[in-house]
Amino acid sequence: MDLSALGICAATSSCIVTQVAAGLISGFLLFLVAAGLTLIFGVLGFVNFMHGSFYMLGAYFAYAAYAATGSYTAAVIAGAAGVGALGAALETSVVRRIYHADVLLQILVCYAFILIFDDLVGIVWGDEFLSMGMPSAFKRAPILLFGGVIPPFYLFLVGIALAIAIGIALLMQKTRYGKIVRALADKPGMVAALGINTQLVYASLFALGAMLAGSAGALAAPVRSMTAGMGFAILIESFIVTVIGGMGSIAGALVAALMIGLVRSFGSIGFPLFTEGLIFVIMIAVLVVRPQGLFGRQVREL
Amino acid sequence: MNGSVSRRSVIAAGVSVGMSGLAPGVFRQAHAESRPIKVGLTSIFSGRVAQLGITTKNGLLLEFEAFNAAGGVGGRTIELVDRDSKGKPEDAARLTRELIESEGCDIIFCGEASGSAFAAHEVARSSRALLMHVISETTQLTADAKLRSWNSFRSARQALHDSIVGGAFAAKIAKEQGLTRWATIAADYAYGREATPEFMGYVESNGAKVELVAESWPKLFQPDYTDSITKILQSRPQALFCGLWGGDLVSFIDQGNLFGLFDNVRVFAIHLADYTTLMSVKQLPAAGAFSSNRYVSVFPSRSENASWSEAYNKRFGSKPTNWSWEACVGARFVIDAIRRTNSAEPAKLAEAIKGMQVAAPVGMRDGKTVMRSEDQTIVDYALGWGRIVPNDPYLVDVQPADWSEVLRLETDWKRRVGFG
Amino acid sequence: MKGTLKEVAVVVTIIAGAVIFSGLVESGSVRDSIIRLCGVGLFALSLNLLVGYTGLLSFGHAMFFGLGAYTFAILLRTTGFGIPLAAACSIALSGAVAAVVGAICVRLTHVYFAFLTLAIQMLFYSLLIACSGLTGGEQGLIGGIPRPKFLGVDLMQPGEYFVFNIAIFVAAAWALWRIVRSPFGAALRMIRDNPQRAVFLGVDVYRTKLAAFVLASAFAAIAGMLTALYVSGAYPNFAFWTMSGEGLFMIMLGGVNGFAGPVVGAGLLLLLDTVVNAYTAHRGLFLGLAILVTSLGLRKGVVDFVRDASDGRFASERTGGRSKERASGAQSGLHEAAIQQSNTEGV
């Protein structure tokens, strides 16, 4: 515990800028994964434990596309679209059949897929860690702001993530599709009675959630070393975000993800050994005081 | 099958089919001397450091295949049985025990990082099998007399040796270039916590002025090092000690480059000079990086080393790692002991291995590496520090260790911390 | 009374069987597999008191497995305590901690209960890592656990150690059996099936759930102690969420509707793991496919499936009811309806 270091940091602009930037960067990436999870969770009521695998596959698809084309844009599109398509296929073949099943069964099926995907990645891409490398467009000196350091690539990541966040918010709030989804979350029977093809909506929503995780994996591929099982850590963090922010709430996911990013970046200076612990303390506090999460509504129980 | 199957083992087999599917292990007891010598290996074959298990196993296989091709000893060949512990200590302990008890392995190679190595060590201590640690570099594993047992050996390098040599090397460069502000980063587990102060201690004791401005302890296998990087940047160090390895090290360097972390900082990274790591890092640190010789085929620059590297490459289609040579040396001690004693009896082998010298690609005493008898760990292996360059041979200007000096300082150290 | 006598006879027979068995079988591997099954099987059984009998989906049960293991190991290593005293202290501590954790958790239902237990367990895990002076941090407690003789029992002797494990397991399982057969057990099932009715009948739902939580945790601590002795150490993974996940997996595999289901599940998992590990490098692929086939194919635990299949009439009745449920869009599955109900009523 070194709170004086935290105090010194808080007094210097360079430290604040760098740590805030670092917190936002990891926060926004986490948000992309958690946003998909919270949608699937909040609307479909499905405990998607294989969400981390989507993140992993996004990174690997991007790696393959980048190796083939040399284009980062193509890589990100391959990661997002590939995982989106996989999500749609999984939904229609398996997940659809267990929406109403016991949570235990859902988790078990997801666990099976995690094992299978991890192993397949090992078979296709090898067990050794891979690294995609920085696209040449981003090979620039970091930007200096009030003495703080911000890499241009991370600035780009934050921009893209923000754009996606706004895009999803618009999709959910302003479009007919969004209205149907929100209605589904509250009264699924009613929506079906109105003659809307709910199965199609479910499948598309699951694919959208998967695509978000896949795009996060693809976007982050240049700065993460890839390996089978890399989805595990981010899965747990995404669940924390979902719980703190409130299941089904995009805004909640954003706030919670940024909060975790900032706790982590400032925690590493002030109390490096207990950063994880503090995050769980926050989660416990939220669950005890406000079980539905900061932005969650007291909706039907899942 | 020769000999008769006793009533007892039939019952045992029946029960074991029911309980664990391990019946073959029981039937195997009935075989006599013609059976192969079963040798066990537990290591990490999945996840981020699967490379550790794979290249360790390769290092062993190369030796065993040669042994078997030469006809083995008395018609007995070596058969390797491997298990994936996934790096979990409790699994390492359990699998080690299963290899000994159900698979009937009298010889175990422990391809585990520090936490799991201690767990396997405990199992071996209460068994009669021979255990060869081929991966764990944690000093305490062999330095702490309380942990020693007659049947446990280590054929891996020792963190303390690297710190002694690296500390002196870093101190020289620090004095030349006026580096005084140091930061450190290492994973938060036994090895990292031990190696960091050891290394920094030797930088200081070699007369360099050290002001420690930041310490960072990310978790093992952490995906994102942004927090550590910004923390280190804040402290504006001139030099950085880095105890990370494998994918962690690659991630850290790739991410650090984005922040320009290495523009003004000299990096002393113990684990950088290993082919798989070097080839995965997209852009090596700009202002200069230094590393211990994990494994490069040019150091020691002897034909045995180059030809071993080539043989490995030919057999497995990739270059050997530090783990490969550690496994190779471990296998050679065991094979030599089997040949000398004409037996696979652990007690006889252990007696033979104590103080044994074997020819090794990394041998530094006339091409040989020595198993020191007092603490059953190796000395006189290739040990040196050099400067990293972006292409083959990757490690240049290597300063080889003076082993007599290393051993002197090691004795001092043991006395100081109470292991002597 | 007669039932109790019969049960005592069963318990004694099993233990006597273990004694004879250990005399007959020399293979360490068979013994080892059974000893290992005692630890994880008891863990799964204790978890099922919450999941199967009370309808509380705990994702943090491994915390008490770890707490028991660590306390027991640390006491044996650092104090002069014998095994009985160290065990008693560990159970007491685990129970006390469970009372505090449970008091916070059992107010919540279903998914929220699952997440809260998960979070508290992870907090405990962080503490295990952070307090490295006491716990050895990331690398766990190394250097072995002593097994001092007690009451004439020498656990350094493989035979006695084997019988000891069987005896503890059978005694604990019997205690759990008595608990679920008692009026208290009936109250638990009522809370699971119809909490409102329980309230009407004067059951204090909060206290009953809390008591179940504390009991389950105490038994998990015993399971942790057996396992700590077996691997001769205690490791942070004991308290990691994957351990809780494995417990749920065993229950799911075996089935929640029979008392012994979790133990069968634990045995199946160990068997699967051993076989798959021994014969293929692609453990994930095969294990994953096996899980998929069993979980999607049976849609219930193996014990449940076998029981239902052997009783054809009963089985067809059940599946008939179930497909009707599914058609109306209601929840199907093991005891989803019960959980659903308990939530909407906001106990």
Side-chain angles (χ1 to χ4, degrees):
Chain A
M1 192 76 65
D2 188 6
L3 293 180
S4 64
L6 207 55
I8 294 167
C9 176
T12 52
S13 69
S14 67
C15 184
I16 292 181
V17 169
T18 310
Q19 295 311 118
V20 168
L24 293 181
I25 292 155
S26 46
F28 269 108
L29 267 178
L30 180 56
F31 162 74
L32 284 183
V33 184
L37 188 69
T38 202
L39 274 183
I40 293 174
F41 210 166
V43 180
L44 308 180
F46 181 71
V47 186
N48 188 26
F49 249 82
M50 56 175 143
H51 209 66
S53 297
F54 292 156
Y55 171 82
M56 168 185 77
L57 289 171
Y60 273 97
F61 288 168
Y63 174 86
Y66 188 72
T69 65
S71 155
Y72 180 55
T73 317
V76 173
I77 291 172
V83 176
L86 179 75
L90 275 178
E91 203 278 344
T92 45
S93 60
V94 176
V95 174
R96 167 174 299 176
R97 297 169 54 199
I98 53 172
Y99 278 144
H100 298 301
D102 192 280
V103 179
L104 269 183
L105 185 80
Q106 294 182 347
I107 293 173
L108 204 56
V109 170
C110 289
Y111 180 58
F113 277 114
I114 293 175
L115 290 176
I116 293 172
F117 286 140
D118 280 359
D119 215 33
L120 284 179
V121 161
I123 293 171
V124 177
W125 283 283
D127 288 319
E128 301 187 355
F129 51 83
L130 296 175
S131 168
M132 176 166 142
M134 188 52 53
S136 54
F138 296 104
K139 279 187 186 156
R140 298 158 188 274
I143 298 161
L144 293 174
L145 186 71
F146 299 115
V149 192
I150 306 170
F153 178 70
Y154 282 154
L155 216 53
F156 158 80
L157 278 189
V158 170
I160 293 275
L162 201 58
I164 294 176
I166 294 170
I168 302 173
L170 288 178
L171 179 72
M172 289 302 147
Q173 297 301 327
K174 301 287 178 195
T175 63
R176 188 179 127 80
Y177 178 77
K179 279 183 193 150
I180 295 172
V181 167
R182 278 180 294 143
L184 267 178
D186 282 344
K187 298 237 163 25
M190 201 63 152
V191 176
L194 290 172
I196 290 166
N197 184 347
T198 53
Q199 284 210 328
L200 190 67
V201 181
Y202 281 160
S204 65
L205 198 71
F206 192 85
L208 177 67
M211 197 171 83
L212 284 172
S215 64
L219 283 168
V223 285
R224 297 278 196 274
S225 76
M226 278 171 246
T227 179
M230 68 188 279
F232 182 77
I234 203 144
L235 169 77
I236 289 296
E237 291 203 342
S238 308
F239 268 105
I240 298 172
V241 166
T242 305
V243 170
I244 294 180
M247 297 173 199
S249 166
I250 298 288
L254 184 61
V255 170
L258 296 185
M259 187 161 80
I260 287 184
L262 290 173
V263 164
R264 186 150 288 162
S265 81
F266 282 98
S268 73
I269 291 182
F271 39 91
L273 281 180
F274 201 64
T275 327
E276 297 295 312
L278 184 67
I279 289 170
F280 285 108
V281 168
I282 296 175
M283 179 174 168
I284 293 165
V286 167
L287 274 169
V288 169
V289 177
R290 206 180 144 80
Q292 71 270 34
L294 295 179
F295 287 72
R297 290 172 306 144
Q298 189 80 59
V299 290
R300 78 179 170 110
E301 290 276 351
L302 297 165
Chain B
M1 191 185 292
N2 52 11
S4 66
V5 180
S6 72
R7 194 182 149 79
R8 222 177 242 188
S9 61
V10 170
I11 296 170
V15 172
S16 81
V17 167
M19 293 309 303
S20 63
L22 295 168
V26 181
F27 280 111
R28 233 169 259 129
Q29 310 283 342
H31 284 260
E33 277 306 303
S34 64
R35 70 196 158 118
I37 301 166
K38 290 191 87 178
V39 167
L41 165 69
T42 76
S43 192
I44 309 171
F45 290 98
S46 53
R48 180 132 160 198
V49 284
Q51 188 198 28
L52 189 157
I54 296 162
T55 62
T56 300
K57 185 180 168 186
N58 289 351
L60 292 177
L61 276 180
L62 203 59
E63 301 307 313
F64 296 155
E65 284 168 0
F67 175 82
N68 292 347
V73 160
R76 295 185 72 184
T77 52
I78 290 181
E79 182 190 330
L80 182 65
V81 186
D82 57 90
R83 292 283 185 271
D84 183 7
S85 71
K86 300 180 224 65
K88 291 191 202 164
E90 65 274 25
D91 281 350
R94 180 174 61 77
L95 292 170
T96 302
R97 200 202 301 258
E98 278 175 14
L99 284 172
I100 298 170
E101 305 238 343
S102 6
E103 293 294 337
C105 298
D106 283 338
I107 302 161
I108 302 289
F109 287 87
C110 174
E112 305 283 354
S114 58
S116 306
F118 282 108
H121 195 82
E122 271 321 303
V123 173
R125 202 219 294 263
S126 58
S127 81
R128 48 172 295 285
L130 182 80
L131 184 76
M132 182 68 76
H133 292 286
V134 294
I135 296 300
S136 177
E137 298 172 25
T138 307
T139 307
Q140 196 197 352
L141 186 64
T142 52
D144 189 347
K146 288 197 296 294
L147 292 175
R148 274 176 219 149
S149 67
W150 65 272
N151 55 347
S152 290
F153 296 82
R154 157 154 66 190
S155 69
R157 50 204 309 151
Q158 194 179 152
L160 184 68
H161 296 161
D162 259 318
S163 297
I164 290 172
V165 178
F169 177 84
K172 185 162 163 277
I173 291 181
K175 281 188 277 187
E176 279 169 14
Q177 306 190 356
L179 315 173
T180 56
R181 295 174 63 84
W182 282 79
T184 67
I185 181 168
D188 189 12
Y189 76 123
Y191 170 78
R193 287 276 171 191
E194 178 189 87
T196 306
E198 275 174 17
F199 182 92
M200 293 313 298
Y202 282 108
V203 175
E204 241 177 326
S205 69
N206 279 283
K209 191 171 153 286
V210 171
E211 185 194 348
L212 196 59
V213 293
E215 277 182 78
S216 184
W217 302 103
K219 284 192 303 200
L220 197 56
F221 313 143
Q222 183 168 310
D224 184 359
Y225 292 91
T226 308
D227 307 334
S228 301
I229 292 164
T230 56
K231 182 180 178 182
I232 294 167
L233 270 179
Q234 290 306 324
S235 64
R236 309 197 180 285
Q238 296 167 306
L240 172 70
F241 166 77
C242 177
L244 301 173
W245 49 275
D248 289 2
L249 179 58
V250 174
S251 273
F252 173 68
I253 293 178
D254 282 349
Q255 291 170 15
N257 273 321
L258 297 182
F259 285 90
L261 175 63
F262 307 113
D263 292 355
N264 302 302
V265 180
R266 310 293 187 285
V267 184
F268 295 85
I270 297 187
H271 298 267
L272 190 50
D274 223 336
Y275 287 118
T276 41
T277 307
L278 287 162
M279 290 189 288
S280 299
V281 173
K282 295 296 171 188
Q283 186 196 338
L284 288 160
F290 307 92
S291 170
S292 159
N293 69 313
R294 297 301 291 173
Y295 180 76
V296 282
S297 54
V298 294
F299 180 78
S301 60
R302 288 203 331 264
S303 62
E304 292 89 338
N305 189 19
S307 63
W308 175 75
S309 175
E310 208 158 282
Y312 182 102
N313 196 358
K314 200 170 152 212
R315 170 69 179 80
F316 303 109
S318 62
K319 294 201 173 190
T321 61
N322 177 69
W323 300 312
S324 311
W325 79 248
E326 291 175 333
C328 156
V329 170
R332 287 191 182 178
F333 277 115
V334 170
I335 288 175
D336 252 32
I338 292 175
R339 288 213 170 103
R340 278 189 209 181
T341 61
N342 192 21
S343 118
E345 183 60 37
K348 287 184 191 162
L349 296 181
E351 214 35 59
I353 292 174
K354 275 189 187 182
M356 183 190 268
Q357 306 191 3
V358 291
V362 295
M364 292 302 265
R365 189 190 287 181
D366 310 322
K368 288 182 172 172
T369 289
V370 182
M371 180 65 74
R372 189 163 58 191
S373 56
E374 66 179 78
D375 56 356
Q376 298 170 190
T377 191
I378 57 166
V379 291
D380 291 315
Y381 54 88
L383 182 60
W385 275 66
R387 186 163 55 84
I388 295 286
V389 292
N391 295 306
D392 209 25
Y394 293 109
L395 193 66
V396 297
D397 307 335
V398 186
Q399 308 275 318
D402 171 357
W403 269 100
S404 61
E405 179 69 1
V406 172
L407 297 180
R408 189 181 65 77
L409 288 168
E410 186 185 6
T411 315
D412 280 356
W413 178 87
K414 281 185 178 167
R415 201 173 301 133
R416 208 163 57 234
V417 300
F419 283 153
Chain C
M1 200 59 213
K2 206 175 158 195
T4 314
L5 271 178
K6 211 167 128 191
E7 283 165 29
V8 171
V10 170
V11 168
V12 171
T13 313
I14 295 178
I15 296 175
V19 174
I20 296 166
F21 181 83
S22 84
L24 278 177
V25 177
E26 278 163 6
S27 164
S29 66
V30 177
R31 276 193 202 150
D32 264 17
S33 311
I34 298 172
I35 291 172
R36 199 170 149 227
L37 184 61
C38 287
V40 289
L42 183 58
F43 175 66
L45 266 185
S46 71
L47 178 58
N48 198 35
L49 185 66
L50 294 178
V51 177
Y53 288 95
T54 321
L56 285 171
L57 181 60
S58 172
F59 235 106
H61 205 54
M63 170 178 171
F64 301 102
F65 183 81
L67 186 59
Y70 268 95
T71 316
F72 186 60
I74 291 172
L75 285 177
L76 281 178
R77 283 157 55 98
T78 56
T79 67
F81 286 12
I83 285 179
L85 184 57
C89 291
S90 310
I91 295 171
L93 181 68
S94 304
V97 173
V100 177
V101 173
I104 303 170
C105 293
V106 297
R107 293 193 303 127
L108 298 180
T109 47
H110 201 36
V111 175
Y112 294 120
F113 174 80
F115 279 125
L116 190 53
T117 46
L118 172 71
I120 292 176
Q121 164 188 263
M122 291 307 290
L123 180 62
F124 176 72
Y125 176 80
S126 311
L127 287 173
L128 276 185
I129 304 277
C131 302
S132 54
L134 186 66
T135 63
E138 194 92 44
Q139 64 180 327
L141 283 175
I142 53 168
I145 301 178
R147 294 177 187 173
K149 274 189 195 167
F150 67 100
L151 307 172
V153 180
D154 181 8
L155 296 186
M156 295 305 281
Q157 297 299 323
E160 294 185 36
Y161 175 61
F162 173 75
V163 175
F164 168 79
N165 272 279
I166 299 279
I168 297 287
F169 172 78
V170 173
W174 184 46
L176 273 167
W177 169 259
R178 296 301 306 179
I179 288 171
V180 303
R181 293 287 131 182
S182 69
F184 173 74
L188 293 183
R189 280 193 298 279
M190 195 189 298
I191 290 174
R192 177 194 71 192
D193 295 334
N194 192 343
Q196 218 157 33
R197 184 156 166 259
V199 173
F200 288 150
L201 291 177
V203 175
D204 185 334
V205 171
Y206 176 77
R207 284 197 171 187
T208 313
K209 278 188 185 176
L210 182 56
F213 192 86
V214 172
L215 278 173
S217 305
F219 282 101
I222 299 175
M225 290 187 273
L226 290 183
T227 308
L229 271 184
Y230 173 61
V231 296
S232 203
Y235 303 100
N237 271 324
F238 284 6
F240 200 53
W241 74 268
T242 44
M243 183 69 204
S244 301
E246 263 179 41
L248 290 173
F249 182 31
M250 290 166 191
I251 292 177
M252 184 66 209
L253 213 56
V256 290
N257 291 330
F259 179 76
V263 184
V264 175
L268 280 173
L269 185 65
L270 295 187
L271 179 70
L272 256 178
D273 218 40
T274 312
V275 172
V276 172
N277 245 334
Y279 293 103
T280 170
H282 298 297
R283 174 181 171 277
L285 197 58
F286 285 91
L287 202 58
L289 286 173
I291 296 170
L292 265 192
V293 169
T294 45
S295 59
L296 288 179
L298 306 182
R299 290 188 77 98
K300 55 189 148 190
V302 173
V303 171
D304 292 349
F305 182 79
V306 171
R307 211 171 49 170
D308 290 359
S310 66
D311 186 350
R313 196 181 59 86
F314 182 52
S316 67
E317 223 167 66
R318 276 175 65 110
T319 38
R322 197 169 279 170
S323 58
K324 230 178 285 163
E325 265 182 1
R326 213 174 290 154
S328 69
Q331 311 265 349
S332 70
L334 293 168
H335 55 264
E336 183 68 15
I339 290 170
Q340 177 79 9
Q341 223 163 359
S342 76
N343 284 319
T344 44
E345 280 143 17
V347 177

